[in-house]
Amino acid sequence: MNIIQIFKQFPTQESCIKHLELARWKGDPICPYCDSTNTNPLVKEMRHHCNGCRKSFSVTVGTIFHDTKVPLQKWFLLIALMLNAKKGLSACQAARDIEVRRPTVWSMMHRIRKSMVDNGELLNGIVEMDETYVGGKPRKGNKKDDDDNTPSQRGRGTKKIPVVGMVERGGKVKTEKATKDTLKSKDLNELIRKYINPSESVLITDEYKGYNKAASLLPHARINHSIEYVNGLIHTNTIESFWAIVKRGIVGQYHRVSAKHLDKYLDEFCYRYNSRNLDSSVLFGNTIANMLRP
Ligand SMILES: [Zn+2]
């Protein structure tokens, strides 16, 4: 869905509510307070009255849209803009695009990101795994810290935030923000167990010593980047292209992402990557459905 399609399909608040009601209830309202289906429509603001608990409710109660003062059309526009923004969308840009104050847009975008979550399916087939370091405020300080940032460390050992990524070739990507500065075999093996189906996968990584024990879990091939970048099927180019998108997005659109919010930005980048082959109106519908989940 592009913004023209949003304007055409959802010209009014009423048309947006109708869409949400159909998506949430398939046309038969259910009271979000007592689950009763014995309800009557109220004319005022397209709300409903529950004959069970005698409360009134709208379709947005208990969802990500709950209590919003922003017209739903602007929400729909923002969702479409975020889904289409391959390199990410800054809150400043979005604020100009939908004419809403920047702090409001910032919190709307975070609410939308909550719906951009992974479905939990394990990765299969050829899976590339790699770590990178993104965002975060560089630590000021003594010379020792500066030394830690020397290029010879290739990112590892720097003070940025470590993120681990796994991508199924031709399939989905998963990322996780690491909780420690240095990633050891134990940490990386835990992520392999969490995200990859070991009986139907081959893992490909570089020579980082943190992967030394991966072969105890599943077949494991490595590419030695000091010698070559590709050896037939053995390479980590897919995950590295994903890191390039993330880094360009974070540097270009979000400038500096704090450790606290990094997971949410990563969810957004993964969600867009993982739905790259979906029809845009299906993706829009799925995202709305996620946002309506109480
Ligand atoms: Zn009720």
Side-chain angles (χ1 to χ4, degrees):
M1 299 281 276
N2 61 36
I3 55 174
I4 301 290
Q5 289 166 316
I6 298 281
F7 274 116
K8 277 189 187 157
Q9 204 171 327
F10 308 106
T12 58
Q13 178 79 354
E14 286 67 34
S15 58
C16 295
I17 292 177
K18 269 191 193 137
H19 182 76
L20 294 183
E21 290 196 344
L22 200 62
R24 186 173 185 183
W25 296 320
K26 312 268 179 293
D28 292 317
I30 301 168
C31 172
Y33 301 110
C34 72
D35 291 332
S36 172
T37 50
N38 183 4
T39 67
N40 296 115
L42 296 171
V43 181
K44 189 176 161 250
E45 291 170 353
M46 299 185 74
R47 294 177 68 84
H48 302 267
H49 174 77
C50 172
N51 296 319
C53 67
R54 308 204 153 271
K55 286 181 182 154
S56 79
F57 60 90
S58 74
V59 68
T60 57
V61 170
T63 72
I64 289 175
F65 299 105
H66 192 68
D67 265 348
T68 180
K69 304 275 182 291
V70 177
L72 288 170
Q73 192 199 48
K74 294 201 176 197
W75 277 96
F76 285 18
L77 284 169
L78 183 58
I79 295 164
L81 287 169
M82 286 175 79
L83 292 175
N84 288 338
K86 292 208 170 56
K87 294 172 186 172
L89 176 72
S90 74
C92 290
Q93 181 62 49
R96 286 191 292 271
D97 287 345
I98 66 166
E99 296 183 339
V100 171
R101 288 174 58 243
R102 203 197 68 89
T104 309
V105 163
W106 191 87
S107 91
M108 289 167 75
M109 290 174 86
H110 270 315
R111 289 213 224 171
I112 294 168
R113 285 184 190 106
K114 279 191 198 162
S115 70
M116 297 181 159
V117 285
D118 187 71
N119 64 6
E121 277 172 26
L122 295 176
L123 302 174
N124 282 300
I126 300 177
V127 179
E128 300 175 22
M129 182 169 184
D130 190 28
E131 344 76 58
T132 193
Y133 290 74
V134 288
K137 292 181 183 171
R139 233 176 254 173
K140 285 181 197 147
N142 59 38
K143 193 163 179 306
K144 194 175 167 294
D145 274 356
D146 292 346
D147 282 346
D148 282 350
N149 284 315
T150 50
S152 64
Q153 297 267 353
R154 294 167 56 235
R156 289 166 187 138
T158 69
K159 298 302 176 196
K160 290 183 166 191
I161 308 154
V163 176
V164 182
M166 282 148 272
V167 64
E168 176 183 312
R169 250 181 235 168
K172 294 193 171 183
V173 69
K174 312 232 183 204
T175 59
E176 187 159 317
K177 183 177 79 178
T179 48
K180 305 175 198 163
D181 281 356
T182 316
L183 291 155
K184 301 215 165 92
S185 303
K186 190 171 146 274
D187 310 310
L188 294 166
N189 275 13
E190 202 178 296
L191 295 174
I192 292 170
R193 269 190 229 105
K194 185 171 169 186
Y195 293 116
I196 305 173
N197 177 357
S199 58
E200 288 174 29
S201 304
V202 175
L203 182 72
I204 300 180
T205 68
D206 63 15
E207 288 285 289
Y208 179 51
K209 63 182 189 314
Y211 297 111
N212 283 357
K213 292 184 180 159
S216 66
L217 301 174
L218 77 178
H220 179 204
R222 306 176 104 167
I223 187 87
N224 186 342
H225 284 166
S226 61
I227 300 169
E228 60 197 348
Y229 278 88
V230 178
N231 180 353
L233 284 173
I234 305 170
H235 63 77
T236 54
N237 292 353
T238 320
I239 189 71
E240 281 167 32
S241 320
F242 178 71
W243 291 145
I245 302 171
V246 170
K247 289 186 173 181
R248 224 183 297 134
I250 286 182
V251 173
Q253 304 296 335
Y254 306 110
H255 304 296
R256 189 147 281 162
V257 169
S258 69
K260 192 176 147 208
H261 294 300
L262 181 60
D263 312 49
K264 294 172 198 152
Y265 291 106
L266 290 169
D267 284 348
E268 181 189 338
F269 280 99
C270 289
Y271 188 79
R272 260 193 306 265
Y273 183 90
N274 292 342
S275 48
R276 64 197 182 278
N277 296 328
L278 274 185
D279 174 79
S280 74
S281 60
V282 172
L283 175 60
F284 182 82
N286 291 352
T287 310
I288 292 275
N290 291 346
M291 292 181 72
L292 289 171
R293 214 162 278 151

